[in-house]
């Protein structure tokens, strides 16, 4: 069996939030004043439950699994989870990746690679130490840069960097990030600032992809380099070792190609990044109900998928939604 929604979109990419906790307070995600963990530790899926979910989705033809959060590497004993998932690679063919702020890697890239982690996306919104601290609340720029630099020695191909550009905060670094992609074998992905209920999003703060491109085009001649399987539009810059990309989640949404499902750290399935709490499927309850078989869970997943909308709400509607925060969803 494979999972297709009523618009015939094949779903084969699962993102799992391992924890809501994070050691950063990024202003666009987890501002210091806003966050309280919305569930207690026992509510979080344990490793047996995560493994069972992953197996179910791999059985449904999913071929990409991404761990995210919160900060996925802040999850206690996360290495043990990687070891378990690695064993699944003997049975299923899939790619395992994480999105991380890069500060908790602690030189363990080789070990992560050996444990089956195929790809790492880093979040990095400033190359300036002070701005980095203003955005994240932590003076950790050097630690992140070191982790990024170490990836190729650990055997990783081009590393992706997620950069959220915000007007008046880091928009003065757009060209610095281009230079970073020229000097390093990295793919810098400019992501449009998205509204969530806790992040005091304002339209005036948003810097859309076309405005970013306008700035870049004054200095460089970016050449289109296609799209990956995901939502990014890629470009190369002459003599660049890496590339740049745009993820225009706000101005040119890519819902028509959506192939993703998301699991929150407390085991709820989300059809869309912006699905509100009352539209989630409580997988955790089914996993903990001894009368429910994997087949019951698959039927519930498929039924829920059939209610997936063709596209996400408008910006105006999104800014009205309550109780959607990025830490919980996992990006
Ligand atoms: N802690 C990890 C990290 O920062 O990479 C993983 C979780 S984080 C929620 C996943 C991604 O979501 C990050 O790349 C971050 O930049 C992005 N993100 C968070 N809030 C966002 C927002 N309001 N708009 C756009 N991207 C956002
Ligand atoms: Fe933490 Fe990632 Fe959110 Fe920053 S973007 S607060 S690192 S979860």
């Amino acid at each position: 069996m494979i999972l297709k929604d009523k618009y015939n979109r094949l779903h084969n990419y699962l993102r799992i939030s391992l924890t809501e906790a994070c050691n950063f307070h990024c202003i666009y995600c987890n501002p210091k004043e806003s966050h309280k963990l919305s569930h207690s530790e026992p509510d979080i899926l344990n490793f047996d439950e995560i493994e069972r979910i992953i197996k179910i989705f791999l059985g449904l033809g999913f071929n990409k699994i991404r761990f995210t959060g919160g900060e996925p590497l802040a999850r206690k004993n996360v290495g043990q989870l990687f070891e378990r998932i690695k064993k699944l690679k003997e049975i299923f063919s899939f790619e395992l990746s994480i999105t991380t702020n890069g500060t908790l890697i602690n030189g363990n890239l080789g070990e992560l690679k050996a444990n089956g982690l195929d790809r790492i996306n880093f979040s990095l919104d400033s190359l300036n130490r002070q701005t980095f601290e203003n955005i994240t609340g932590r003076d950790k720029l050097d630690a992140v840069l070191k982790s990024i630099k170490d990836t190729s020695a650990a055997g990783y191909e081009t590393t992706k960097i997620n950069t959220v550009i915000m007007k008046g905060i880091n928009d003065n670094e757009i060209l610095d990030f281009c230079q970073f992609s020229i000097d390093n074998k990295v793919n810098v992905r400019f992501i449009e600032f998205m509204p969530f209920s806790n992040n005091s999003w304002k339209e005036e703060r948003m810097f859309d992809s076309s405005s970013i491109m306008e700035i870049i085009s004054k200095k460089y001649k970016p050449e289109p380099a296609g799209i990956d399987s995901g939502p990014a539009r890629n470009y190369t810059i002459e003599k660049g070792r890496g590339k740049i990309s745009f993820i225009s989640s706000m101005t040119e949404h890519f819902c028509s190609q959506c192939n993703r499902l998301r699991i929150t750290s407390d085991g709820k399935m989300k059809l869309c990044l912006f699905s509100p709490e009352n539209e989630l499927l409580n997988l955790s309850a089914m996993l903990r109900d001894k009368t429910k078989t994997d087949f019951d869970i698959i039927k519930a997943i498929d039924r829920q998928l059939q209610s997936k909308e063709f596209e996400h709400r408008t910006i105006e509607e999104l800014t009205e939604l309550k109780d959607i925060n990025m830490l919980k969803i996992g990006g």
Side-chain angles (χ1 to χ4, degrees):
M1 181 176 172
I2 52 170
L3 281 186
K4 276 191 180 178
D5 68 5
K6 60 178 184 272
Y7 302 103
N8 211 26
R9 290 176 294 200
L10 177 70
H11 284 65
N12 54 11
Y13 181 8
L14 186 69
R15 297 167 82 110
I16 305 179
S17 171
L18 297 185
T19 173
E20 271 186 42
C22 186
N23 56 337
F24 273 21
H25 281 286
C26 300
I27 51 176
Y28 54 79
C29 174
N30 180 28
K32 271 202 177 99
E33 61 284 3
S34 89
H35 189 61
K36 289 186 199 73
L37 287 186
S38 63
H39 49 254
S40 59
E41 196 66 10
D43 292 333
I44 288 187
L45 292 180
N46 64 35
F47 289 170
D48 285 339
E49 291 164 339
I50 294 175
E51 189 179 342
R52 184 169 168 206
I53 285 192
I54 290 177
K55 271 194 203 151
I56 287 175
F57 279 96
L58 291 173
L60 290 167
F62 276 52
N63 55 21
K64 276 174 105 177
I65 308 287
R66 176 174 297 274
F67 291 150
T68 173
E71 173 46 47
L73 298 180
R75 174 74 190 249
K76 207 168 157 201
N77 299 326
V78 69
Q80 292 172 11
L81 180 62
F82 281 112
E83 280 168 27
R84 284 171 176 237
I85 307 307
K86 185 184 173 195
K87 293 211 178 89
L88 294 180
K89 289 196 161 184
E90 290 161 19
I91 310 167
F92 299 97
S93 161
F94 66 99
E95 178 187 284
L96 180 65
S97 55
I98 54 167
T99 305
T100 174
N101 65 32
T103 55
L104 301 175
I105 286 179
N106 299 328
N108 288 332
L109 281 165
E111 201 180 315
L112 288 168
K113 180 91 180 148
N115 274 331
L117 181 63
D118 299 301
R119 282 177 182 278
I120 309 180
N121 288 17
F122 290 91
S123 297
L124 175 65
D125 308 299
S126 177
L127 296 163
N128 172 287
R129 189 170 166 188
Q130 188 56 57
T131 312
F132 182 94
E133 187 173 348
N134 294 345
I135 294 175
T136 64
R138 301 291 304 274
D139 179 13
K140 289 279 181 191
L141 175 61
D142 289 346
V144 182
L145 289 176
K146 179 165 180 354
S147 292
I148 292 171
K149 290 235 156 76
D150 288 350
T151 50
S152 55
Y156 286 98
E157 287 294 307
T158 308
T159 294
K160 291 183 179 168
I161 313 272
N162 292 349
T163 305
V164 180
I165 296 292
M166 291 160 288
K167 215 173 268 178
I169 294 181
N170 60 351
D171 53 323
N172 59 338
E173 293 190 54
I174 292 169
L175 293 177
D176 297 343
F177 272 106
C178 290
Q179 190 62 48
F180 192 70
S181 81
I182 292 171
D183 298 338
N184 300 281
K185 204 160 174 247
V186 295
N187 176 194
V188 174
R189 300 161 6 126
F190 296 109
I191 302 179
E192 288 178 345
F193 182 22
M194 295 183 277
F196 293 100
S197 30
N198 63 334
N199 74 354
S200 58
W201 180 91
K202 289 192 202 81
E203 195 153 7
E204 311 85 83
R205 278 260 177 268
M206 210 186 97
F207 211 96
D208 61 55
S209 298
S210 55
S211 309
I212 297 174
M213 184 53 127
E214 216 176 293
I215 290 179
I216 295 172
S217 303
K218 285 188 185 142
K219 177 158 182 185
Y220 302 106
K221 284 201 179 64
E223 288 291 332
I227 46 173
D228 301 330
S229 52
R233 280 179 293 115
N234 304 320
Y235 291 83
T236 51
I237 294 180
E238 206 187 350
K239 300 204 176 96
R241 296 184 64 209
K243 58 185 173 184
I244 57 168
S245 309
F246 297 89
I247 301 188
S248 316
S249 339
M250 291 290 95
T251 56
E252 278 175 63
H253 63 71
F254 25 82
C255 303
S256 65
Q257 300 136 44
C258 187
N259 62 349
R260 298 161 182 209
L261 290 174
R262 297 179 155 84
I263 312 286
T264 61
S265 50
D266 57 345
K268 313 253 175 66
M269 187 179 88
K270 266 179 117 86
L271 297 176
C272 168
L273 189 57
F274 298 108
S275 304
E277 191 68 23
N278 62 356
E279 291 178 11
L280 311 190
L281 173 68
N282 192 342
L283 282 182
S284 163
M286 296 189 80
L287 291 166
R288 288 169 192 182
D289 178 345
K290 298 233 165 11
T291 68
K292 300 284 184 222
T293 63
D294 284 2
F295 188 59
D296 294 326
I297 296 176
I298 289 168
K299 278 192 298 189
I301 292 170
D302 189 39
R303 206 177 314 119
Q304 182 81 357
L305 181 64
Q306 301 318 313
S307 67
K308 185 160 176 162
E309 301 288 351
F310 185 64
E311 55 189 33
H312 68 58
R313 294 162 162 85
T314 62
I315 295 188
E316 293 71 33
E317 286 168 322
L318 291 178
T319 54
E320 293 299 312
L321 289 173
K322 304 276 177 280
D323 199 25
I324 306 194
N325 82 47
M326 192 61 144
L327 283 170
K328 203 163 173 200
I329 313 161

